[in-house]
Amino acid sequence: MPDEQRSTEGMVDYNRNSAMQQQLVNHHAGCIRDLVRRIGSVQREFRVVDYGCGPGQSAVDAVAPAIEAYRALDPVTPISVCHADQPGNDWNSLFELVSGPSGYLAPFIRSGAAVGSFYDRMAADGSVDLGTCFMASHWLSHAVRLDAPGSVWFADLKGKARADMAALARNDWIRFLDCRASELRSGGYLLVSCLGAVPDDGEINGIAASGRKVYRAIDSVAQEMADEGLIDQAVLDRFVFGVWFMTAHEARSPLETEPELAEAFEIEDIKVVPAPSNPSDIYADVIGDPAEYARLYVGYVRGFGHSTLQRQLFEPGAANGRSADDIAQAFYRRLGERYTQNPGKHAGETWYLTVVLRKR
Ligand SMILES: C[S@@+](CC[C@H](N)C(=O)[O-])C[C@H]1O[C@@H](n2cnc3c(N)ncnc32)[C@H](O)[C@@H]1O
């Protein structure tokens, strides 16, 4: 089922299309400060790792509250910040921000990177005081190909396809937690926050997952293009975004049932809540301007989804001699039309999953 392609390498236009991610990171600033206070002063160096940091301002915003809170506790001990992400991350842009006017570089703060996958080890044993991971761990470890006609995303899958993907998602979450359990030092904290899902009896599979109407709009445009012979139906039938937005129960379950995880972590908090601003429509503020509303949604989908769509749907699925770029252009134009014609119908709803764990 999985192949060796990472699920998110090469996300495009990150800083421009990541208002929702920035909001999530900033929402947790108070929690980050509080965790640093609870960790307290350390002896040699205070070490923060931000897993799945991305290339944008949110990577700086994720660590700035930790630096500020630690400096208030201890003005002299060095601080080490490690930004951890995949090889394809735009590292140059990130370190320009880190060292620029909105960055955090200062005496006795060193900044570095860990390049790899957070489903593998990214730091030395017992070396991390505070680990954070924002809007990243809902991406599975690998691109997913399933026999899954009728939907391009996890929450609408049925039968065996749903069960296979659920197993993959659970294994990935366990793998992520196992790695962090080794890397955190005793008394350290892990804060993970990403898109989540909530129970909803009226929904397929009994859950309402973040972005459901956006993914269904993507699905309906792709299906329309397959019906017109522009995308190969067989490729579409096997295409699924490699994401899984957990419910609080799914996030908690392995921490209670896997003996090594239960021993490694104390659960401080696991919850799924609506986003504090615009939970029912990310771009509600501009709904009165349909052209702008559509532009923002298309930018949003391109931002998180283009590399996946291009590699897994447009390139292998471009039919009748058309190029993948032509198919991509037609896809985004049609998606934009959906948003212009019916503002609100395909609105992006957002629930945040937040997990706070203390390493025993
Ligand atoms: C939506 S961005 C979030 C970036 C940033 N944390 C934020 O909140 O704005 C997701 C990031 O997770 C990274 N990512 C996804 N899967 C990963 C993995 N297996 N290992 C490391 N990073 C990963 C992607 O490369 C991308 O930079």
Side-chain angles (χ1 to χ4, degrees):
M1 176 170 53
D3 69 15
E4 284 311 305
Q5 207 168 45
R6 297 276 178 231
S7 44
T8 49
E9 261 172 326
M11 286 184 161
V12 293
D13 297 341
Y14 191 71
N15 238 1
R16 274 200 296 140
N17 295 311
S18 60
M20 201 243 275
Q21 287 87 341
Q22 281 166 18
Q23 188 190 91
L24 175 105
V25 170
N26 295 332
H27 174 70
H28 286 97
C31 174
I32 294 169
R33 287 190 201 99
D34 182 46
L35 294 179
V36 171
R37 283 181 217 115
R38 285 203 253 166
I39 294 165
S41 299
V42 300
Q43 294 222 310
R44 287 204 185 145
E45 189 175 59
F46 184 77
R47 294 192 182 139
V48 183
V49 180
D50 182 34
Y51 299 92
C53 58
Q57 184 59 37
S58 52
V60 172
D61 294 350
V63 298
I67 294 171
E68 182 198 305
Y70 192 77
R71 271 291 163 261
L73 281 179
D74 172 350
V76 289
T77 300
I79 297 174
S80 151
V81 176
C82 174
H83 300 282
D85 208 297
Q86 302 179 107
N89 191 40
D90 183 350
W91 294 104
N92 285 340
S93 297
L94 173 59
F95 283 102
E96 269 169 38
L97 287 170
V98 163
S99 56
S102 62
Y104 58 77
L105 282 189
F108 306 113
I109 298 178
R110 68 189 178 93
S111 177
V115 179
S117 169
F118 51 51
Y119 293 110
D120 299 317
R121 292 288 305 275
M122 298 196 89
D125 269 0
S127 66
V128 179
D129 295 293
L130 175 66
T132 55
C133 181
F134 296 112
M135 277 296 176
S137 55
H138 50 231
W139 286 96
L140 301 182
S141 57
H142 292 97
V144 176
R145 286 199 182 81
L146 288 171
D147 186 14
S151 184
V152 298
W153 80 304
F154 77 99
D156 288 347
L157 295 178
K158 298 197 188 95
K160 183 171 181 320
R162 163 98 184 157
D164 285 351
M165 200 162 166
L168 184 64
R170 182 179 162 95
N171 286 343
D172 273 354
W173 179 228
I174 291 172
R175 205 168 133 190
F176 178 93
L177 292 170
D178 271 339
C179 292
R180 305 300 81 79
S182 302
E183 293 168 354
L184 280 163
R185 68 136 167 112
S186 175
Y189 280 90
L190 177 64
L191 164 60
V192 179
S193 192
C194 59
L195 293 175
V198 290
D200 180 338
D201 289 341
E203 272 287 353
I204 302 170
N205 296 307
I207 56 147
S210 296
R212 57 186 160 169
K213 297 177 196 161
V214 177
Y215 282 95
R216 287 170 185 159
I218 293 171
D219 195 56
S220 110
V221 171
Q223 189 52 59
E224 179 184 278
M225 291 177 69
D227 292 343
E228 292 175 25
L230 300 170
I231 290 178
D232 182 341
Q233 183 71 54
V235 172
L236 178 58
D237 285 350
R238 293 186 65 73
F239 170 66
V240 185
F241 278 93
V243 294
W244 190 280
F245 305 155
M246 287 186 283
T247 60
H249 172 74
E250 287 169 324
R252 177 180 286 274
S253 163
L255 286 153
E256 293 179 339
T257 57
E258 298 291 317
E260 283 177 12
L261 291 179
E263 201 171 302
F265 289 115
E266 245 167 69
I267 299 175
E268 295 271 326
D269 196 13
I270 297 184
K271 63 179 175 233
V272 177
V273 297
S277 114
N278 292 342
S280 322
D281 185 345
I282 312 167
Y283 298 116
D285 296 346
V286 297
I287 198 164
D289 179 350
E292 178 63 0
Y293 185 77
R295 194 186 67 76
L296 287 170
Y297 267 106
V298 170
Y300 170 66
V301 171
R302 284 182 62 89
F304 76 77
H306 182 68
S307 57
T308 304
L309 286 164
Q310 182 77 359
R311 250 193 323 247
Q312 295 174 47
L313 185 62
F314 303 150
E315 282 171 3
N320 291 323
R322 288 184 174 77
S323 73
D325 288 345
D326 285 350
I327 295 298
Q329 240 182 17
F331 173 87
Y332 292 119
R333 184 178 41 72
R334 289 173 189 227
L335 186 68
E337 283 163 8
R338 294 276 202 290
Y339 280 94
T340 332
Q341 284 159 8
N342 267 307
K345 183 171 178 202
H346 311 289
E349 297 155 287
T350 315
W351 288 274
Y352 290 165
L353 164 67
T354 299
V355 175
V356 181
L357 305 175
R358 181 175 181 277
K359 175 77 194 300
R360 291 185 207 273

